[in-house]
């Protein structure tokens, strides 16, 4: 049976600061540069969530994208949008809030919430040119 991949895009804005508390100021500055700014800085993140599966013969949908939109907003976006990730989200008290770790976190929030098809990937664009993609491995 044919498998199809469908994607929903959402946008959210968050602040973060990249640092490793085991390192001194110089090491943090050297590795993270401007992303180490003490009070943080913001990004307009683009999130792309891809689900795959066989289209339902009655609807032709892998998953109704309206339903996927609501799940992404309720389970992920609302916890991140207009937040300072280091302070407002417990996961990022122990994980540096890089695009990589944000993708993994969103995967964890969504993986058991998809009612039809299977979660395939979570992509986080931090800038126009940089993104991280997690596929659950
Ligand atoms: Ni940043």
């Amino acid at each position: 049976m044919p498998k199809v991949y469908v994607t929903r895009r959402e946008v959210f804005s968050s602040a973060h600061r990249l640092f490793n508390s085991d390192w001194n100021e110089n090491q943090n500055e050297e590795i993270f540069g401007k992303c180490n700014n003490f009070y943080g800085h913001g990004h307009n993140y683009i999130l792309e969530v891809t689900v795959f599966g066989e289209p339902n013969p009655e609807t032709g949908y892998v998953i109704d994208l309206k339903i996927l939109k609501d799940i992404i907003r309720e389970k992920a976006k609302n916890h991140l949008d207009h937040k300072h990730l280091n302070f407002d989200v417990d996961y990022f008290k122990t994980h540096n809030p890089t695009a990589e770790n944000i993708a993994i976190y969103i995967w964890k929030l969504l993986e058991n919430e998809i009612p039809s098809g299977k979660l395939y990937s979570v992509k986080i664009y931090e800038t126009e040119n940089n993104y991280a993609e997690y596929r659950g491995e």
Side-chain angles (χ1 to χ4, degrees):
M1 286 294 284
K3 294 266 200 303
V4 183
Y5 296 73
V6 297
T7 299
R8 172 72 193 181
R9 174 182 283 221
E10 289 286 328
V11 177
F12 63 92
S13 302
S14 310
H16 73 169
R17 178 193 181 206
L18 301 184
F19 74 106
N20 183 330
S21 57
D22 294 335
W23 297 347
N24 66 32
E25 231 173 272
N26 288 342
Q27 281 174 296
N28 274 298
E29 175 65 31
E30 190 186 317
I31 299 297
F32 297 119
K34 286 201 285 192
C35 292
N36 181 233
N37 181 49
F38 188 77
Y39 291 110
H41 61 277
H43 292 280
N44 295 318
Y45 290 101
I46 296 169
L47 164 63
E48 289 182 354
V49 175
T50 300
V51 171
F52 80 104
E54 292 166 15
N56 178 305
E58 284 181 297
T59 61
Y61 289 155
V62 173
I63 181 172
D64 183 333
L65 286 174
K66 288 193 302 295
I67 292 172
L68 184 58
K69 172 188 77 177
D70 290 343
I71 291 167
I72 294 168
R73 289 184 178 183
E74 187 188 325
K75 302 295 177 187
K77 178 177 170 176
N78 291 349
H79 300 299
L80 304 170
D81 194 26
H82 288 72
K83 301 290 171 60
H84 192 310
L85 300 178
N86 303 68
F87 295 103
D88 293 321
V89 181
D90 284 345
Y91 186 79
F92 298 116
K93 290 176 179 163
T94 51
H95 299 79
N96 218 11
T98 57
E100 289 88 332
N101 281 332
I102 296 169
I104 293 168
Y105 179 63
I106 292 174
W107 177 282
K108 288 173 191 286
L109 296 176
L110 296 179
E111 67 176 329
N112 297 320
E113 304 292 340
I114 307 298
S116 66
K118 277 189 72 172
L119 188 57
Y120 174 72
S121 86
V122 172
K123 271 190 193 176
I124 285 284
Y125 289 79
E126 194 169 72
T127 68
E128 245 174 74
N129 300 319
N130 298 341
Y131 69 87
E133 178 174 16
Y134 184 56
R135 293 184 184 170
E137 290 160 30

